[in-house]
């Protein structure tokens, strides 16, 4: 087994999010990527990417992937990105489905 964290302190942050039907997918993808680019601890290279991953029962599922060099703070960055995503999506008029 190889411990890659000894030589590379980068860590990928994966954030899944479900957005209600009706929001244009390209708009959601652009918004998620913009949120990640705005965070000071998200690396520019490789650039953050958002993906349309699947159709859910009550939402379209997306995933934001971003990299940080702050290995020890990745979970804090994860939380900050999630909160920023929520705010940005709400401000853009996107809805989050409620559990049934």
């Amino acid at each position: 087994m190889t411990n890659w964290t000894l030589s590379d302190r980068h860590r990928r942050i994966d954030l899944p999010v479900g957005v209600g039907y009706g929001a244009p997918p390209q708009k959601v993808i652009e918004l998620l990527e913009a949120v990640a680019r705005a965070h000071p601890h998200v690396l520019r290279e490789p650039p953050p990417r958002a993906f349309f991953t699947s159709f859910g029962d009550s939402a379209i599922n997306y995933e934001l992937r971003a990299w940080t060099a702050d290995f020890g703070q990745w979970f804090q960055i994860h939380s900050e990105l999630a909160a920023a995503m929520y705010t940005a999506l709400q401000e853009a008029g996107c809805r989050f489905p409620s559990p049934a």
Side-chain angles (χ1 to χ4, degrees):
M1 182 161 95
T2 303
N3 183 352
W4 291 108
T5 60
L6 289 176
S7 60
D8 186 356
R9 303 298 293 169
H10 294 119
R11 171 109 188 220
R12 190 173 83 186
I13 299 168
D14 299 330
L15 280 159
V17 62
V19 177
Y21 284 96
Q26 193 56 42
K27 177 182 176 182
V28 173
I29 289 169
E30 290 169 4
L31 193 78
L32 296 177
E33 290 177 353
V35 164
R37 283 192 308 269
H39 195 285
H41 296 289
V42 169
L43 295 175
R44 301 287 176 242
E45 286 297 324
R49 296 289 312 272
F51 300 94
F52 180 134
T53 59
S54 66
F55 293 98
D57 290 337
S58 59
I60 295 175
N61 298 310
Y62 298 87
E63 184 167 287
L64 173 66
R65 295 180 180 171
W67 287 86
T68 184
D70 294 331
F71 186 87
Q73 296 297 314
W74 81 269
F75 202 71
Q76 179 64 38
I77 298 163
H78 179 281
S79 177
E80 291 168 0
L81 284 172
M85 286 169 45
Y86 179 84
T87 300
L89 288 165
Q90 287 253 264
E91 288 175 354
C94 298
R95 294 188 345 218
F96 297 96
S98 299

